[in-house]
Amino acid sequence: MPRFLITSALPYINGIKHLGNLVGSLLPADVYARYLRQQQQQVLYICGTDEHGTPAELAATEHGLSTEDYCNKLHDLQRDIYQRFHISFDYFGRTSSKANHEITQSIYRDLEQRGFIKQKAIEQVYSIEDKRFLPDRYVEGTCPHCSDEKARGDQCDGCGQLLEPYELIDPHSAITGSKDLIIKQSNHYFLCLSKLQQDVGAWVDRHKHWSPLTQGIAKKWLQEGLQDRCISRDLNWGIPLPTDNNEKKVFYVWFDAPNGYISMTKEWAEKHAPDSSAWKDWWTESDDVHYTQFMAKDNVPFHTIFWPAVLMGAESNYKLVDNIKAFNWLLYEGGKFSTSQKLGVFMDDALELFPADYWRYYLLSNAPENSDSSFTFQHFSKVINKDLADNLGNFVSRVSALVSKYFSGQIPKEQLAAYTFPVEMKVQVKELLKDINDNYQQCNFRHLINCLKKLYALGNEYITKAEPWKILKNDEKAGADILSTCLILIRIMAVASAAVIPTTSEKLFAVLQLTQRPDALTIQDESLFATVDTSIKTDKALKLFEKITDKQVEDLTQRFGAKKSS
Ligand SMILES: Nc1ncnc2c1ncn2[C@@H]1O[C@H](COP(=O)(O)OP(=O)(O)OP(=O)(O)O)[C@@H](O)[C@H]1O
Ligand SMILES: [Zn+2]
């Protein structure tokens, strides 16, 4: 029986994440994991915070905390918020863990032994006032090409030119503004990626099923030719390089972060599996584990080229990824959401505004799958009001009100015994369920939501056309049959939507007074069409979703239009 390993790109520690991070990595991975579990598959879903690197140190300083304390705090905050979004990790770890230190250092030693590490002195900008080497993007100045005064040492956003820090006119530290900068030489360690080009290229070629976005990015890097890549930094915070030279170097965050997937699995096994060595059979190359990663496009080179190269070079026999579900950007006011620039709608604010299921449903309906997509409150309200409030919510509320009113919540047993689900509708629903199942399986989230939407609409249209409220006045049996069909449809909607809107699905089962969980039934299960013997208890109309008003849209657009202030 296959087993499914799932990881979502590790959220960086420098703040509460935004809706872009949610839709570009965490949410789709969660939906896939939930779907597979619902289909009775064995799943391990691993994620955790990515904690090393300069932005973490700077964020800590900004908050007046040591980097370690800051990371502890932000890790807990992030974990809490993912729980509130019902992201169902099997384990949520940290790249700063002891296990990650050990695994990263051991991978490095293998690479070194096998001749894939070289040393080279490089020149870097050192800020005397900051007492630190400055990464290129923390050097700012005037662009020599377009005179933009806000150019960074890696790139000018004004004209798009790639730059070196020494090319800037009037360079200064982006941290303190100090101009007291010198160029210092420092010995650094490089991964010999150029030696691994062929192996990585052949491996990428074998993955023809990857999406055009994933393949396109991987092939572009390969065509340009892989360059040896620096894996060390002169920082205090990070995983120390186990070198013989008497130097204080740490790994560059890109090198240690993905190893976190492995080390977090190790911690999961130590804490939660019956056998603490269970992590090994998830990560050893074998046919029965199918590994899927979720991320947005900026992370694709790291997961298709750099990290696989590291694992191949180390000849570690660690499992390489089978499928990569990559996303484009979710845009906010025409630009990219940004944690460092505090731009966009952040997950904590989002949950204060609306329940998690609103966001989960909307973000997947608008997922940047084939191209970038834009978030607006206007669009958000349109989708929620139409799909969830007008279709799903309205249908369930009409059905429960009628069953309460005409049958005191319980359709008589003798009528249920004589009832069968209408044949024609069964064909239609089965077809939809097949599409829903396929889209879950293939992680086609926009199509998936479209099918769910059709399912909700089908119920609503059926009851509108059948008009049980009229029929019930003269023919109780015919009316009871229509409502029985509706009750079954509610169960089907709950089961089919369970991975996307888990809380709502549970509420639907609660309305039906079903004791099972909606995710305990598989999506194409024949028993979904059996009669629902319920005793609904609603005295007044049930309101599953609150409609979002034009006034709310206006206020929220205004409130979040400017940069987030804190
Ligand atoms: N606007 C976005 N749309 C979709 N996915 C995104 C977006 N921004 C970030 N992601 C993805 O979220 C995941 C976690 O990202 P990470 O925490 O590293 O933030 P980031 O890419 O540095 O974002 P930011 O620039 O906002 O800090 C990554 O897979 C990243 O590609
Ligand atoms: Zn420029």
Side-chain angles (χ1 to χ4, degrees):
M1 181 142 145
R3 293 179 293 154
F4 294 87
L5 177 63
I6 298 172
T7 59
S8 34
L10 305 180
Y12 195 67
I13 197 77
N14 65 335
I16 298 286
K17 301 280 99 176
H18 47 64
L19 299 180
N21 301 122
L22 183 58
V23 72
S25 60
L26 300 157
L27 176 60
D30 174 64
V31 170
Y32 187 53
R34 282 175 177 274
Y35 158 74
L36 288 169
R37 291 189 197 112
Q38 188 177 358
Q39 299 303 103
Q40 313 296 319
Q41 302 290 346
Q42 200 183 339
V43 172
L44 187 65
Y45 175 21
I46 299 288
C47 189
T49 36
D50 171 8
E51 302 192 357
H52 294 132
T54 313
E57 288 186 298
L58 294 179
T61 312
E62 199 184 304
H63 287 81
L65 293 172
S66 71
T67 313
E68 196 179 344
D69 287 348
Y70 173 78
C71 289
N72 291 341
K73 184 175 159 190
L74 265 288
H75 172 81
D76 289 349
L77 277 177
Q78 287 204 18
R79 192 177 41 190
D80 170 64
I81 207 143
Y82 302 145
Q83 254 170 18
R84 292 195 277 135
F85 266 99
H86 307 294
I87 305 293
S88 61
F89 307 122
D90 288 295
Y91 191 74
F92 187 71
R94 313 176 56 167
T95 58
S96 60
S97 70
K98 183 165 162 274
N100 202 40
H101 279 238
E102 287 166 2
I103 284 181
T104 298
Q105 290 177 340
S106 133
I107 288 175
Y108 169 82
R109 285 198 191 92
D110 280 359
L111 287 166
E112 194 187 27
Q113 243 171 33
R114 303 188 69 237
F116 288 113
I117 300 290
K118 70 175 188 193
Q119 296 181 43
K120 198 171 87 179
I122 55 172
E123 293 189 327
Q124 266 188 295
V125 177
Y126 184 87
S127 164
I128 300 196
E129 193 174 324
D130 292 297
K131 296 195 191 62
R132 65 189 303 151
F133 283 100
L134 295 179
D136 294 351
R137 69 196 151 124
Y138 286 107
V139 187
E140 282 181 358
T142 302
C143 172
H145 304 280
C146 75
S147 304
D148 186 320
E149 288 175 8
K150 277 259 167 229
R152 294 187 317 261
D154 57 347
Q155 191 168 21
C156 168
D157 282 341
C159 65
Q161 277 278 344
L162 294 182
L163 297 171
E164 294 292 340
Y166 56 79
E167 292 179 83
L168 292 172
I169 302 160
D170 278 340
H172 53 266
S173 157
I175 307 167
T176 53
S178 168
K179 293 191 173 173
D180 204 357
L181 307 180
I182 54 172
I183 303 273
K184 243 186 167 178
Q185 275 221 341
S186 179
N187 182 45
H188 276 282
Y189 294 77
F190 285 72
L191 171 71
C192 302
L193 266 179
S194 50
K195 288 189 191 170
L196 289 155
Q197 163 108 23
Q198 266 198 339
D199 288 350
V200 177
W203 175 74
V204 168
D205 273 345
R206 288 201 295 279
H207 291 85
K208 305 223 183 299
H209 59 281
W210 285 355
S211 72
L213 178 63
T214 306
Q215 280 201 54
I217 294 172
K219 296 227 156 114
K220 182 169 171 285
W221 277 85
L222 288 162
Q223 269 155 18
E224 283 170 4
L226 301 185
Q227 307 289 321
D228 298 344
R229 198 172 168 89
C230 192
I231 61 165
S232 55
R233 295 283 89 183
D234 294 298
L235 299 173
N236 297 320
W237 175 244
I239 300 180
L241 259 85
T243 63
D244 298 334
N245 306 345
N246 193 17
E247 306 163 304
K248 274 183 78 178
K249 305 261 170 206
V250 298
F251 285 104
Y252 206 152
V253 58
W254 76 261
F255 186 87
D256 77 70
N259 303 329
Y261 298 137
I262 305 174
S263 56
M264 289 167 197
T265 312
K266 185 164 183 270
E267 287 183 318
W268 160 81
E270 283 162 1
K271 290 182 184 161
H272 304 296
D275 169 8
S276 65
S277 66
W279 67 277
K280 286 188 190 148
D281 24 284
W282 283 97
W283 280 100
T284 310
E285 199 55 72
S286 69
D287 289 339
D288 74 326
V289 177
H290 189 270
Y291 178 20
T292 309
Q293 295 172 339
F294 290 81
M295 69 198 68
K297 54 192 173 186
D298 58 333
N299 282 163
V300 171
F302 295 92
H303 291 77
T304 55
I305 307 284
F306 307 146
W307 195 47
V310 166
L311 297 184
M312 284 178 203
E315 214 178 33
S316 47
N317 202 28
Y318 283 129
K319 168 138 194 73
L320 300 177
V321 67
D322 296 300
N323 198 14
I324 296 182
K325 174 73 185 179
F327 290 86
N328 293 283
W329 298 132
L330 180 71
L331 301 177
Y332 184 73
E333 304 223 320
K336 190 183 162 296
F337 279 80
S338 164
T339 311
S340 50
Q341 295 182 32
K342 302 186 170 89
L343 184 67
V345 181
F346 287 74
M347 288 171 73
D348 49 353
D349 290 333
L351 275 187
E352 275 176 24
L353 298 173
F354 301 103
D357 279 359
Y358 286 38
W359 296 108
R360 293 176 61 107
Y361 184 89
Y362 170 72
L363 289 171
L364 289 176
S365 79
N366 188 35
E369 279 181 316
N370 296 322
S371 57
D372 293 347
S373 59
S374 293
F375 171 82
T376 62
F377 280 103
Q378 179 89 43
H379 189 217
F380 173 73
S381 75
K382 210 171 125 194
V383 170
I384 298 301
N385 289 350
K386 181 149 191 290
D387 296 8
L388 295 187
D390 287 348
N391 268 330
L392 178 58
N394 187 32
F395 175 62
V396 176
S397 134
R398 283 158 108 184
V399 175
S400 59
L402 288 167
V403 176
S404 301
K405 181 170 169 196
Y406 288 94
F407 299 103
S408 308
Q410 172 81 60
I411 295 178
K413 298 241 185 268
E414 61 278 11
Q415 301 211 357
L416 285 178
Y419 167 84
T420 49
F421 196 84
V423 177
E424 224 173 275
M425 182 179 287
K426 190 165 179 179
V427 173
Q428 227 180 333
V429 173
K430 276 192 151 184
E431 218 167 274
L432 263 179
L433 289 177
K434 184 185 175 308
D435 286 350
I436 288 172
N437 193 60
D438 289 352
N439 285 315
Y440 270 122
Q441 216 165 55
Q442 290 155 22
C443 298
N444 287 328
F445 295 103
R446 277 177 173 254
H447 286 319
L448 168 67
I449 298 293
N450 240 329
C451 294
L452 289 177
K453 187 162 113 182
K454 282 187 195 160
L455 183 61
Y456 307 154
L458 182 140
N460 221 12
E461 280 159 21
Y462 170 69
I463 197 169
T464 305
K465 231 170 159 176
E467 299 184 313
W469 47 89
K470 281 192 187 159
I471 292 181
L472 277 162
K473 286 182 184 142
N474 315 315
D475 185 345
E476 188 169 296
K477 170 156 186 342
D481 280 356
I482 296 169
L483 290 179
S484 290
T485 302
C486 293
L487 291 171
I488 292 170
L489 284 175
I490 296 177
R491 173 170 57 203
I492 292 174
M493 290 172 191
V495 170
S497 321
V500 175
I501 42 175
T503 313
T504 303
S505 286
E506 282 179 28
K507 276 192 197 159
L508 297 183
F509 263 44
V511 170
L512 300 181
Q513 303 270 313
L514 295 174
T515 47
Q516 256 172 325
R517 294 176 50 84
D519 57 5
L521 289 161
T522 57
I523 285 170
Q524 289 175 286
D525 203 315
E526 192 57 34
S527 72
L528 288 183
F529 293 95
T531 47
V532 175
D533 186 0
T534 182
S535 59
I536 290 178
K537 290 194 193 94
T538 48
D539 10 16
K540 46 183 181 212
L542 178 81
K543 211 162 200 189
L544 283 172
F545 303 99
E546 288 290 339
K547 273 201 177 188
I548 302 166
T549 63
D550 290 349
K551 173 84 174 76
Q552 271 176 299
V553 169
E554 206 180 291
D555 290 350
L556 291 170
T557 307
Q558 183 124 35
R559 174 172 155 202
F560 287 90
K563 283 190 180 186
K564 194 176 181 258
S565 53
S566 62

